[in-house]
């Protein structure tokens, strides 16, 4: 976010120049000052928070753009990329929860009001960046869990599909409405959805763009669990705690083995599994797991 000094400098309010002393100029500068304060007081659209003990290792990423129901514009996309890079660089992060701070909305999709002002090349660049960001999110080495309360439409559903697990409240609604706008899902929806629900069902949902509810989502496998409204975060946190108690290196290697193995034939996939297994053999955590089992106690893993 730009500093107050930087925003005021745009108009020459903080420069070495002489500014007019007329009341009109003073009024304009006053208005700019107020506007600058308003911009600085706006919350970040993407917030990252590390939980404290006893949940150390769990990271929470919150979408927080209430005025647009978390619609993804340029600023939110930058926030997602920045948060993702910080998580990837943090060796203490074991599980990530992706949630919304906006009631009744997980993410409304792309910001179409912003997109209407874009030229063709700008739209192409934005969608390509969105697709690459979601792919990078999917490739995070740690497990990711989407917490869905309310609407997950278009790019919002595509973002959820890039997570490893999805938990929703019973009032959640989903859709990929792009064909109704004469486009197609462009941030991974045409590829991730059929891998989750099957080719024929994915075609139906994408061709029609129809909305489906939480119960249908869990029946199709779009989400792992559907819980009473308002309880999705608690269920996701319970899962995150279970995962957080396991060997972090093993969890990372298990995710890598599954993701890479699913994209190749079985023989090649078994080779991937072998390579990932090798990565956990010579670790302190493996010896700690064996010792804890023999001593009938809870293991204390360090990620080494």
């Amino acid at each position: 976010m730009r500093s107050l000094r930087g925003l005021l400098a745009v108009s020459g309010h903080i420069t070495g120049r002489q500014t007019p002393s007329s009341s009109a100029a003073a009024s304009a500068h006053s208005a700019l000052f107020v506007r600058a304060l308003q911009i600085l007081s706006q919350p970040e659209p993407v917030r990252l928070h590390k939980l404290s003990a006893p949940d150390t290792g769990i990271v929470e990423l919150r979408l927080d753009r209430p005025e647009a129901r978390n619609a993804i514009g340029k600023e939110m996309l930058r926030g997602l990329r920045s948060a993702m890079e910080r998580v990837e660089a943090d060796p203490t992060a074991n599980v990530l929860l992706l949630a919304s701070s906006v009631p009744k909305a997980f993410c409304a999709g792309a910001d179409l009001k912003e997109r209407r002002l874009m030229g063709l090349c700008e739209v192409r660049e934005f969608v390509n960046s969105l697709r690459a960001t979601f792919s990078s999110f999917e490739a995070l080495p740690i497990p990711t869990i989407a917490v869905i309360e309310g609407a997950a439409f278009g790019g919002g559903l595509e973002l959820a599909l890039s997570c490893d697990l999805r938990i929703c409240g019973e009032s959640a609604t989903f859709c990929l409405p792009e064909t109704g706008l004469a486009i197609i899902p462009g941030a991974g929806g045409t590829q991730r959805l059929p891998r989750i629900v099957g080719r024929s069902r994915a075609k139906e949902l994408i061709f029609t763009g129809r909305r489906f509810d939480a119960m249908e989502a869990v029946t199709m496998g779009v989400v792992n669990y559907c819980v009473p409204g308002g309880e999705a975060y608690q269920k996701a946190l319970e899962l995150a705690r279970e995962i957080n108690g396991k060997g972090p290196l093993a969890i990372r290697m298990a995710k890598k083995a599954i993701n890479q193995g699913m994209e190749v034939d079985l023989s090649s996939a078994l080779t991937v599994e072998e390579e990932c297994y090798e990565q956990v053999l010579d670790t302190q955590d493996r010896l700690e797991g064996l010792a804890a089992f023999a001593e009938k106690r809870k293991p204390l893993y360090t990620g080494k």
Side-chain angles (χ1 to χ4, degrees):
M1 181 175 290
R2 298 178 67 176
S3 67
L4 176 60
R5 184 179 183 87
L7 286 167
L8 294 176
V10 171
S11 71
H13 197 80
I14 299 179
T15 66
R17 302 183 308 217
Q18 295 293 321
T19 58
S21 60
S22 68
S23 60
S27 177
H29 286 151
S30 178
L32 177 63
F33 184 80
V34 172
R35 176 58 178 157
L37 288 177
Q38 290 174 339
I39 292 173
L40 289 171
S41 66
Q42 290 176 353
E44 295 288 345
V46 178
R47 294 185 286 112
L48 198 62
H49 172 63
K50 298 173 70 173
L51 302 192
S52 56
D55 293 323
T56 303
I58 300 176
V59 181
E60 182 182 288
L61 192 158
R62 286 268 179 179
L63 307 180
D64 192 8
R65 195 186 175 204
E67 73 280 5
R69 302 181 74 218
N70 288 337
I72 304 173
K74 293 179 180 179
E75 186 177 358
M76 178 171 276
L77 181 57
R78 284 192 292 269
L80 283 170
R81 286 201 301 264
S82 175
M84 179 187 65
E85 290 166 1
R86 288 164 59 191
V87 171
E88 190 169 20
D90 185 356
T92 67
N94 295 332
V95 191
L96 184 142
L97 296 177
L98 173 61
S100 167
S101 295
V102 181
K104 300 181 181 180
F106 173 73
C107 177
D111 188 338
L112 298 184
K113 291 182 180 179
E114 185 179 280
R115 183 169 295 184
R116 287 183 62 189
L117 304 177
M118 296 181 185
L120 183 62
C121 291
E122 196 174 6
V123 171
R124 181 182 295 113
E125 181 180 350
F126 178 82
V127 174
N128 287 345
S129 180
L130 191 65
R131 184 186 307 112
T133 299
F134 289 1
S135 292
S136 296
F137 195 87
E138 182 179 42
L140 283 174
I142 64 174
T144 54
I145 307 174
V147 183
I148 306 167
E149 296 275 10
F153 296 161
L157 177 52
E158 290 178 298
L159 174 58
L161 292 175
S162 70
C163 291
D164 297 305
L165 307 174
R166 287 161 293 280
I167 315 299
C168 78
E170 60 189 1
S171 63
T173 53
F174 308 81
C175 76
L176 292 174
E178 286 82 358
T179 53
L181 298 170
I183 55 176
I184 69 171
T190 64
Q191 303 306 308
R192 293 191 179 94
L193 188 61
R195 284 168 165 78
I196 293 171
V197 304
R199 183 182 302 184
S200 180
R201 183 59 61 88
K203 286 180 178 178
E204 176 212 338
L205 296 174
I206 292 172
F207 292 171
T208 65
R210 71 173 178 85
R211 296 187 184 187
F212 54 99
D213 62 20
M215 291 308 300
E216 190 173 2
V218 75
T219 299
M220 292 188 296
V222 172
V223 299
N224 298 79
Y225 294 95
C226 173
V227 297
E231 297 183 15
Y233 179 84
Q234 186 59 40
K235 178 63 178 178
L237 182 58
E238 290 172 5
L239 283 173
R241 285 169 173 164
E242 284 190 54
I243 296 168
N244 197 35
K246 305 301 188 290
L249 295 177
I251 293 294
R252 288 172 178 245
M253 287 301 105
K255 176 171 177 174
K256 180 179 180 181
I258 294 169
N259 284 358
Q260 292 188 3
M262 287 296 294
E263 302 303 320
V264 297
D265 62 87
L266 180 59
S267 178
S268 300
L270 291 172
T271 299
V272 172
E273 180 182 81
E274 179 183 1
E275 293 170 353
C276 290
Y277 198 98
E278 284 291 329
Q279 296 297 311
V280 298
L281 270 179
D282 188 22
T283 65
Q284 295 177 22
D285 278 356
R286 186 182 74 85
L287 298 178
E288 167 62 12
L290 291 173
F293 178 80
E295 297 165 15
K296 298 182 179 180
R297 60 173 174 82
K298 184 177 179 179
L300 297 174
Y301 295 123
T302 61
K304 297 179 181 179

